[in-house]
Amino acid sequence: MRNRRQFLAAVGSTISIASVSGCLGVLSSSGTDPRYPGGTVVIENKGDQSLAVSITIVEDEYDATIETSVPAGETYVRREFVDADAGEVVTLSARLGESGDPATFELLPAGGENNARPEIARLAVQNAVEASAQWTAERGER
């Protein structure tokens, strides 16, 4: 009887820990590591068609370019695409497909003042046909 209680207590404790960890974001349900170093660019193609994506840096002092095709439902990651000093803003320009206006985005690859965390840029493409996408900044790792 005692072994049964210990077993049930252990199972209950494990479920409780997993539940709390999931709510706090400690455990990740995806197979990918969500932490990237600052200056990383992540391109998510949530559409149902492959999409050509070109990303450049607007400022002349940087020479970095991404030109890739991201398959439908896939994610492309370029770690540490751009490096800058703390507080320095870098403008990224993305062109989806062969035509259309580029979408620009400002990023703090090394973080801001007061020891703010570095940022990564995430470009989420919703629809490859209409080339609709949204830039967001997320916290990166040092």
Side-chain angles (χ1 to χ4, degrees):
M1 187 65 123
R2 184 169 189 207
N3 287 340
R4 186 180 203 183
R5 281 189 209 141
Q6 288 176 334
F7 174 76
L8 292 175
V11 169
S13 296
T14 303
I15 291 171
S16 297
I17 290 170
S19 297
V20 170
S21 297
C23 290
L24 295 176
V26 174
L27 297 177
S28 176
S29 61
S30 67
T32 60
D33 185 1
R35 295 170 292 169
Y36 298 110
T40 297
V41 172
V42 177
I43 306 168
E44 282 183 291
N45 185 354
K46 296 180 179 183
D48 55 2
Q49 293 182 359
S50 182
L51 179 67
V53 179
S54 175
I55 298 177
T56 57
I57 300 173
V58 174
E59 290 83 11
D60 290 335
E61 62 265 21
Y62 300 100
D63 186 26
T65 302
I66 296 173
E67 291 196 21
T68 188
S69 179
V70 183
E74 297 289 323
T75 300
Y76 173 88
V77 177
R78 171 78 66 89
R79 290 179 177 270
E80 300 176 303
F81 174 64
V82 61
D83 187 26
D85 294 330
E88 190 172 339
V89 177
V90 176
T91 306
L92 305 178
S93 176
R95 183 176 303 277
L96 306 176
E98 300 299 319
S99 61
D101 295 329
T104 58
F105 182 71
E106 293 184 344
L107 177 70
L108 290 165
E113 297 177 6
N114 300 325
N115 207 19
R117 301 287 296 218
E119 293 179 341
I120 68 166
R122 182 176 297 272
L123 180 64
V125 180
Q126 302 299 326
N127 186 336
V129 175
E130 296 175 8
S132 62
Q134 180 179 8
W135 279 109
T136 56
E138 299 176 5
R139 290 176 58 176
E141 297 295 314
R142 295 189 191 282

